[in-house]
Amino acid sequence: MIDLHALVRENIKNLKPYLSARDEFQGQADIFLDANENALGSTIDASLNRYPDPRQRKLKNRIGKIKNIASGKIFLGNGSDEVIDLLIRAFCEPARDKIMIMPPTYGMYQVCADINNVEVLKVALTRDFKIDFKNVFDQIDEFLRLIFICSPNNPTGNLMDRSDIESILQKTKGLVVVDEAYIDFASQESLISNLSDYPNLIIMQTLSKAWGLASLRLGMAFADPFLSNVLTNIKPPYNVNGMTQKLVLQALQDTRRQKQMVQEIIDQREFLELELKCIPFVEKIHPSDANFLLVRFTDAPAIFRHLMSSGIIVRDRSKAFNCENCLRITVGTQQENFKLIDTLKTWK
Ligand SMILES: *Cc1c(COP(=O)(O)O)cnc(C)c1O
């Protein structure tokens, strides 16, 4: 059995969290003179003068309904990037504990660990971008607190095998963070339904991709209520701002439009795949369960510059581990994708 309590840093366990005015008062009142706000309003919309709900109750209820999960298991952050940072700060003692990442993968795990002076163990994905779980097992010890698994993975686009993730969950005494930023584009379900089987499982999702709300900054973590409570205790009190809470509640009502957009992006991804296959200097299109394609060219830097000179920016991932000559191309609108293909065809 995993002792979640034992995984929390000592200083965090002993922390007396900041209690905001809006945390302490939860009843009904007409006159709010408790938070030193500007009672007159603001220079624009009057409702902006009040601090937002620090516990984001309405938002969590709504997300809980959509994801079919109890709101006590939900933590919301100022983007997933804040969630990553809080996870490392809550569970990794600097200069002692470690996290594990599986390159090539999302860059923020390493950056957040570096900022917090937490060692990063790198266990590279295999050549076909699967988890090298034998190597993962070899590196597991009592100081390995967080294992980050990105699925579908950025920048490779593939899902990780569920059975590999589950065997790691069973083997480690630490926490396993599965970053599902792209899960809505994938051919497999989220691991959310496995949360009750694995108390050490933390799932991250975001509204930045499939919901089209990158500007609002809303990241989600789903985990055992004990874990989500630890994160709540250490977060900045008003980490999800009032406009974000309000607009997200509005946006989440239109699940039909969200599904339409996801389908259109998947269709466009398939179109791009077909077109790219016919281009002679495309060497490989990695199979994608996300909203982007990792494509290997004969000469990625030259193609990158060629696209750039036509005003098309893609992400050069050729320096990432096992991604020589690869560019990561986000699926755009139909028109943008036509333009991309046309521009590629004019190279040389
Ligand atoms: C885009 C992305 C995120 C999203 O981060 P936000 O801070 O929520 O915008 C998280 N993880 C991965 C792997 C991503 O590619």
Side-chain angles (χ1 to χ4, degrees):
M1 234 357 243
I2 296 230
D3 183 359
L4 295 178
H5 196 258
L7 291 173
V8 183
R9 282 170 68 197
E10 216 47 43
N11 61 316
I12 303 290
K13 257 185 232 168
N14 300 330
L15 180 77
K16 211 169 149 282
Y18 175 76
L19 263 188
S20 68
R22 291 297 130 82
D23 266 315
E24 289 194 310
F25 179 77
Q26 289 181 35
Q28 280 295 317
D30 299 317
I31 301 177
F32 288 94
L33 305 177
D34 60 340
N36 296 348
E37 296 152 338
N38 184 337
L40 305 185
S42 71
T43 55
I44 46 170
D45 183 334
S47 64
L48 292 177
N49 63 336
R50 300 296 176 184
Y51 282 103
D53 175 7
R55 297 184 175 256
Q56 310 113 11
R57 290 178 186 82
K58 280 189 192 156
L59 203 45
K60 283 183 183 172
N61 279 333
R62 183 83 197 106
I63 290 170
K65 288 209 175 82
I66 292 175
K67 302 283 176 187
N68 195 19
I69 188 173
S71 57
K73 293 184 179 175
I74 303 174
F75 174 80
L76 301 179
N78 188 348
S80 312
D81 291 344
E82 183 183 44
V83 181
I84 296 166
D85 180 63
L86 291 174
L87 283 168
I88 293 176
R89 282 200 278 153
F91 302 108
C92 300
E93 190 62 36
R96 189 197 72 186
D97 295 334
K98 297 172 284 191
I99 70 161
M100 180 186 286
I101 65 171
M102 303 177 189
T105 193
Y106 188 48
M108 280 306 286
Y109 315 135
Q110 169 100 49
V111 172
C112 290
D114 289 347
I115 290 170
N116 289 294
N117 194 24
V118 165
E119 189 187 337
V120 180
L121 297 176
K122 298 188 191 102
V123 178
L125 296 173
T126 60
R127 292 249 19 144
D128 54 352
F129 300 138
K130 298 204 176 305
I131 295 176
D132 185 354
F133 65 86
K134 214 187 147 296
N135 254 328
V136 171
F137 289 170
D138 285 347
Q139 306 254 12
I140 287 174
D141 68 18
E142 64 186 298
F143 298 113
L144 179 56
R145 292 306 174 91
L146 295 169
I147 299 177
F148 284 92
I149 300 173
C150 192
S151 178
N153 186 39
N154 179 3
T156 60
N158 60 302
L159 280 160
M160 298 301 151
D161 284 340
R162 247 184 145 83
S163 54
D164 289 351
I165 298 177
E166 292 201 43
S167 39
I168 292 172
L169 276 160
Q170 286 158 11
K171 194 87 171 185
T172 182
K173 297 250 180 312
L175 304 172
V176 177
V177 183
V178 181
D179 186 344
E180 293 187 336
Y182 300 98
I183 195 68
D184 295 293
F185 304 103
S187 53
Q188 276 181 33
E189 296 289 302
S190 162
L191 276 154
I192 285 181
S193 55
N194 293 82
L195 271 179
S196 40
D197 307 329
Y198 301 106
N200 58 336
L201 171 61
I202 298 169
I203 294 163
M204 291 200 309
Q205 293 185 5
T206 176
L207 297 187
S208 298
K209 312 285 157 66
W211 282 92
L213 299 171
S215 175
L216 292 184
R217 314 302 305 128
L218 194 86
M220 304 170 276
F222 308 115
D224 186 281
F226 174 80
L227 298 176
S228 75
N229 200 44
V230 170
L231 297 176
T232 300
N233 284 344
I234 68 171
K235 77 179 178 70
Y238 303 109
N239 65 327
V240 179
N241 74 70
M243 279 312 277
T244 295
Q245 294 193 41
K246 188 173 150 183
L247 289 173
V248 166
L249 267 173
Q250 217 174 306
L252 290 178
Q253 288 180 345
D254 201 349
T255 48
R256 230 187 73 209
R257 175 71 188 134
Q258 188 257 6
K259 289 201 171 76
Q260 264 174 13
M261 289 194 294
V262 166
Q263 193 52 54
E264 194 173 327
I265 289 167
I266 293 172
D267 292 346
Q268 285 297 312
R269 182 184 77 204
E270 288 168 359
F271 162 80
L272 276 180
E273 259 184 282
L274 284 176
E275 290 291 323
L276 287 165
K277 258 186 202 146
C278 306
I279 294 178
F281 49 87
V282 168
E283 285 190 335
K284 187 175 169 80
I285 306 156
H286 291 279
S288 173
D289 266 288
N291 65 344
F292 58 84
L293 291 169
L294 186 71
V295 184
R296 195 172 79 221
F297 293 91
T298 50
D299 187 353
I303 308 265
F304 180 85
R305 285 192 302 272
H306 172 67
L307 290 173
M308 178 99 98
S309 68
S310 303
I312 300 174
I313 313 293
V314 298
R315 195 91 197 266
D316 184 356
R317 294 280 81 179
S318 55
K319 299 283 184 307
F321 188 79
N322 267 342
C323 296
E324 296 80 18
N325 271 319
C326 286
L327 302 179
R328 192 193 69 193
I329 304 174
T330 306
V331 177
T333 64
Q334 184 174 50
Q335 205 182 0
E336 290 170 339
N337 300 332
F338 279 143
K339 173 93 195 292
L340 170 80
I341 296 296
D342 282 350
T343 307
L344 280 174
K345 283 178 176 164
T346 63
W347 187 59
K348 280 196 203 163

